[in-house]
Amino acid sequence: MQHKTDMNLGLKNVWEVVCRDSEGNEKWREINKNLVTTVGLNHVLSSTLDGATQITAWYVGLKGAGSAAAADTMASHSGWTEVTDYSQSVRQTLTLGTATSGSIDNTSNKATYSINGTATVAGAFINSDSTKSGTSGTLYGVVDFASSRSVISGDTLEVTVTLTAASA
């Protein structure tokens, strides 16, 4: 018999980022698990169990080189910077489908970036503020790629994130 202290809630997010060249050919693909930040975990607990205000709009951003840490916030993430070499004026909206079996994703509406410069992309993140290079909002989670990847003008990045919650 399990005791209450033996039950845990696990949050896991899996990211798939596909880079295509200007002709639509796949250049590279990254699939990695996400770090849920402490502020992200606190938000989930507070908004679900303690009556805090729910955040109803989330956005996907692109992360530069450097490592993410659990203590990262949008105002303070000294280990990495945001990549903004894309033509859209804001971070892309994270449009999720319906949660089922403890999972939800944006497969039907991927966050897509039209790259308009030369940059190094090393991951992605979910934040509650759409402002490109903005330092406010709730940083839910950050994913680090296995290695940094180069992008050039004309490339397109398609970002899919699957968020899961399960009793561990």
Side-chain angles (χ1 to χ4, degrees):
M1 179 166 136
Q2 281 190 325
H3 298 281
K4 285 184 179 183
T5 56
D6 293 337
M7 292 183 264
N8 298 307
L9 174 64
L11 298 177
K12 177 177 82 171
N13 308 310
V14 176
W15 293 74
E16 180 175 26
V17 179
V18 178
C19 179
R20 298 187 188 284
D21 66 19
S22 61
E23 296 180 9
N25 300 307
E26 185 174 319
K27 291 175 67 174
W28 53 263
R29 177 182 302 256
E30 280 281 341
I31 301 173
N32 288 311
K33 292 181 184 170
N34 186 84
L35 164 77
V36 179
T37 64
T38 301
V39 71
L41 293 170
N42 289 342
H43 174 72
V44 168
L45 291 171
S46 294
S47 64
T48 302
L49 301 171
D50 195 29
T53 302
Q54 176 188 12
I55 297 172
T56 57
W58 292 95
Y59 303 91
V60 175
L62 301 177
K63 179 189 154 304
S67 297
D72 285 351
T73 66
M74 279 314 295
S76 177
H77 50 84
S78 60
W80 56 274
T81 58
E82 183 174 354
V83 174
T84 58
D85 296 298
Y86 52 89
S87 62
Q88 294 86 347
S89 60
V90 294
R91 296 174 185 140
Q92 297 301 284
T93 301
L94 178 60
T95 303
L96 298 168
T98 301
T100 181
S101 301
S103 182
I104 193 168
D105 62 49
N106 71 328
T107 301
S108 295
N109 197 355
K110 298 173 184 172
T112 303
Y113 293 89
S114 300
I115 304 301
N116 64 358
T118 299
T120 300
V121 179
F125 61 90
I126 297 173
N127 189 55
S128 64
D129 180 30
S130 67
T131 308
K132 199 172 177 177
S133 292
T135 58
S136 63
T138 299
L139 179 63
Y140 173 76
V142 186
V143 65
D144 285 326
F145 291 167
S147 60
S148 297
R149 302 294 198 140
S150 296
V151 293
I152 60 171
S153 186
D155 286 350
T156 301
L157 293 182
E158 293 176 340
V159 182
T160 305
V161 61
T162 302
L163 301 99
T164 59
S167 295

